[in-house]
Amino acid sequence: MSASRSDLPFLIAGGGIAGLAAALALARKGFQSHVLEREDDFGEVGAGIQIGPNAFRMFKVLGITEAIDATCVYPDALVMMDALNGDLVTRVPLNTNAFREVFDYPYAVIYRPDLHWALLDACKAESAVTLETSARVTGFEDTGERVRVTLEGGRNRDGVALIGADGLWSKVRETVIGDGNPRVCGHIAYRAVLPTPEVPHELRRNNVILWAGPKTHLVHYPLHRGDIFNLVAVFHSDRYEEGWDVFGDVDELQSRFVGQRAEVHAMLNKIDSWRMWVLCDREPIKVWHKGLSVLTGDAAHPMLQYLAQGACMAIEDGVCLASKVAASPHDLPAAFAAFAASRYLRTGRVQLTARFYGDVYHATGVAAELRAMMLGQRQPEQAYQGVRWLYSGLDDDGNQVF
Ligand SMILES: Cc1cc2nc3c(=O)[nH]c(=O)nc-3n(C[C@H](O)[C@H](O)[C@H](O)COP(=O)(O)OP(=O)(O)OC[C@H]3O[C@@H](n4cnc5c(N)ncnc54)[C@H](O)[C@@H]3O)c2cc1C
């Protein structure tokens, strides 16, 4: 006998940050879900991630603040340095009472596996969440009553609906939106982590430091209770058409940073083995669902990482999606429409602002001089007001409130 519709779980394609956040948020509202992850294990890239106060608000809703707090680092400041002349461009204090007064929650950096494990552990502790690995979603059928997902190898899973949390190259998006491949933006990111004792002494700061150079930047910050440092080096290149988490070419990287400060090279020279990401995004769209299927996270709104918000948005999505489902459990297409309607302007603003931040980081000539002049004059309070919409413009259901 087949299961009745009400016995079926939400199927979630993808067990990354978006998929696990959605599963956990749904469980907190009393809904069952089954997460389908294509890899043989649940896991994340061994790199760092910045998390804004807006994500901390969601951690509280999801009940994982303690787990995050146990492993993250709270940096003292966001610092931008000019990679050519070594001047301080701007310093935004983070770990201060003034910051907490404006945003209510802190700013942190965390080792990605620690964030992923916090979500995964919380999901495992929920009987409403079941997890399946080696389960690559290859297609699905929506009967109007339920969805039937096909996995690689021909197996099927039935669900009350399908949540596509399968990232930038989403398979689910092909059917829900069908708008082709993401936009290759022409920037490449190289990532690595370095044990803290190997970090040059003068660079061993509890700050997120960004060295802004012509068509390049380097970011470094401490991670994992300060045991390691995260490095991300970005440069413009049309050399690579596609690629994701593959080994990077060290000579190519070095050639892009020629002429920059000794501190930049001191960091770059420490790493022999980089992982490379070809950076992509998409134009914002306002409809993220079709019938009983809906997109979340990078599958819905992939963005460049220059605002450090892709994962934060994915976590907010999960909370918002669950609250819309709870408000309309018997009309899921309406719940999904309400979810996208509540989210698309916020995520679209992040997608577009991230591109602009990239232009600011990589400015050359007069644009770089203007950057120094305008950011150099800014007081912390002005910097805070500039990102208030992002860091505190959210309610506990993941809706933008101003
Ligand atoms: C260099 C860089 C730095 C970044 N820094 C930050 C930062 O500081 N702060 C921040 O908030 N964000 C940051 N981001 C963005 C962040 O990494 C992403 O937005 C976030 O990981 C998106 O999560 P996701 O779960 O939507 O997608 P993904 O992380 O891509 O997860 C998708 C999951 O789905 C699985 N999957 C894929 N296809 C299928 C399928 N067909 N069937 C089943 N499973 C499937 C994958 O294996 C994976 O587990 C950064 C990104 C980059 C590239």
Side-chain angles (χ1 to χ4, degrees), residues 12-20 36-39 42-44 48-52 107 112 116 135-138 151 165-172 189 191 221 232 234 244 277 279 296-299 303-305 307-314:
I12 300 179
I17 290 165
L20 295 181
L36 299 161
E37 168 56 46
R38 70 178 170 190
E39 301 294 336
F42 285 92
E44 260 288 346
I49 197 163
Q50 301 178 51
I51 39 182
Y107 194 101
R112 293 174 74 104
H116 194 256
R136 179 190 289 269
V137 172
T138 56
L151 302 179
D166 48 346
L168 176 67
W169 301 95
S170 170
K171 185 75 192 163
V172 178
R191 289 162 138 182
Y221 51 80
V232 185
V234 178
W244 181 258
W277 271 257
L279 301 175
T296 178
D298 274 8
M303 54 188 64
L304 302 180
Q305 83 283 14
L307 218 48
Q309 278 286 327
C312 299
M313 288 296 128

Side-chain angles (χ1 to χ4, degrees), residues 29 48 54 62 121 127 148 152 179 268 270 311 314 318 323 370 389:
K29 296 279 185 191
N54 53 315
L62 294 172
D121 281 351
S127 58
R148 171 157 293 185
E152 196 171 50
D179 55 352
L268 295 181
K270 289 282 176 187
S323 81
L370 274 170
W389 67 273

Side-chain angles (χ1 to χ4, degrees), residues 304-359:
L304 302 180
Q305 83 283 14
Y306 302 134
L307 218 48
Q309 278 286 327
C312 299
M313 288 296 128
I315 294 163
E316 290 182 10
D317 281 352
V319 170
C320 185
L321 177 59
S323 81
K324 298 302 180 199
V325 167
S328 183
H330 303 298
D331 186 351
L332 293 177
F336 296 161
F339 161 59
S342 172
R343 297 286 301 155
Y344 80 93
L345 284 175
R346 179 171 174 80
T347 53
R349 188 170 177 181
V350 180
Q351 284 172 289
L352 299 180
T353 309
R355 289 181 186 172
F356 173 67
Y357 270 45
D359 290 344

Side-chain angles (χ1 to χ4, degrees), residues 52-275:
N54 53 315
F56 271 91
R57 184 179 198 112
M58 299 297 104
F59 295 152
K60 188 193 73 179
V61 175
L62 294 172
I64 57 169
T65 308
E66 232 175 273
I68 300 292
D69 182 61
T71 53
C72 72
V73 170
Y74 297 103
D76 295 329
L78 294 173
V79 176
M80 186 189 284
M81 305 293 295
D82 186 310
L84 292 183
N85 59 26
D87 287 349
L88 173 69
V89 179
T90 184
R91 182 180 190 280
V92 181
L94 298 173
N95 211 350
T96 61
N97 289 339
F99 185 91
R100 289 284 186 120
E101 269 164 31
V102 177
F103 299 118
D104 294 331
Y105 296 91
Y107 194 101
V109 290
I110 193 167
Y111 192 49
R112 293 174 74 104
D114 290 341
L115 170 57
H116 194 256
W117 284 327
L119 288 164
L120 189 60
D121 281 351
C123 282
K124 284 180 176 168
E126 277 284 355
S127 58
V129 181
T130 50
L131 303 161
E132 182 176 355
T133 50
S134 311
R136 179 190 289 269
V137 172
T138 56
F140 67 95
E141 182 198 355
D142 178 346
T143 67
E145 286 296 310
R146 63 180 67 191
V147 286
R148 171 157 293 185
V149 164
T150 308
L151 302 179
E152 196 171 50
R155 296 161 294 153
N156 293 315
R157 298 288 177 268
D158 287 347
V160 68
L162 173 63
I163 298 170
D166 48 346
L168 176 67
W169 301 95
S170 170
K171 185 75 192 163
V172 178
R173 185 171 176 129
E174 283 177 20
T175 304
V176 176
I177 313 291
D179 55 352
N181 284 340
R183 183 188 75 109
V184 177
C185 83
H187 304 181
I188 309 259
Y190 277 38
R191 289 162 138 182
V193 289
L194 188 61
T196 298
E198 290 184 36
V199 175
H201 207 264
E202 67 281 10
L203 295 173
R204 240 180 265 172
R205 300 271 177 271
N206 185 32
N207 291 328
V208 176
I209 300 184
L210 185 148
W211 295 87
K215 297 185 179 174
T216 66
H217 76 268
L218 169 71
V219 179
H220 51 82
Y221 51 80
L223 269 186
H224 211 251
R225 301 184 198 90
D227 299 343
I228 50 178
F229 262 65
N230 187 57
L231 272 68
V232 185
V234 178
F235 57 88
H236 291 204
S237 171
D238 53 11
R239 191 169 136 188
Y240 300 101
E241 284 284 300
E242 54 184 62
W244 181 258
D245 193 16
V246 293
F247 283 105
D249 174 349
V250 177
D251 294 337
E252 160 94 359
L253 176 69
Q254 293 284 359
S255 71
R256 301 289 170 164
F257 286 81
V258 166
Q260 298 200 8
R261 291 282 295 185
E263 296 91 325
V264 172
H265 288 282
M267 276 300 210
L268 295 181
N269 291 341
K270 289 282 176 187
I271 309 285
D272 302 324
S273 173
W274 296 86
R275 305 295 290 177

Side-chain angles (χ1 to χ4, degrees), residues 385-400:
Q385 290 309 324
V387 285
R388 247 191 105 205
W389 67 273
L390 179 59
Y391 291 162
S392 58
L394 205 66
D395 67 14
D396 281 352
D397 286 327
N399 300 305
Q400 179 91 45

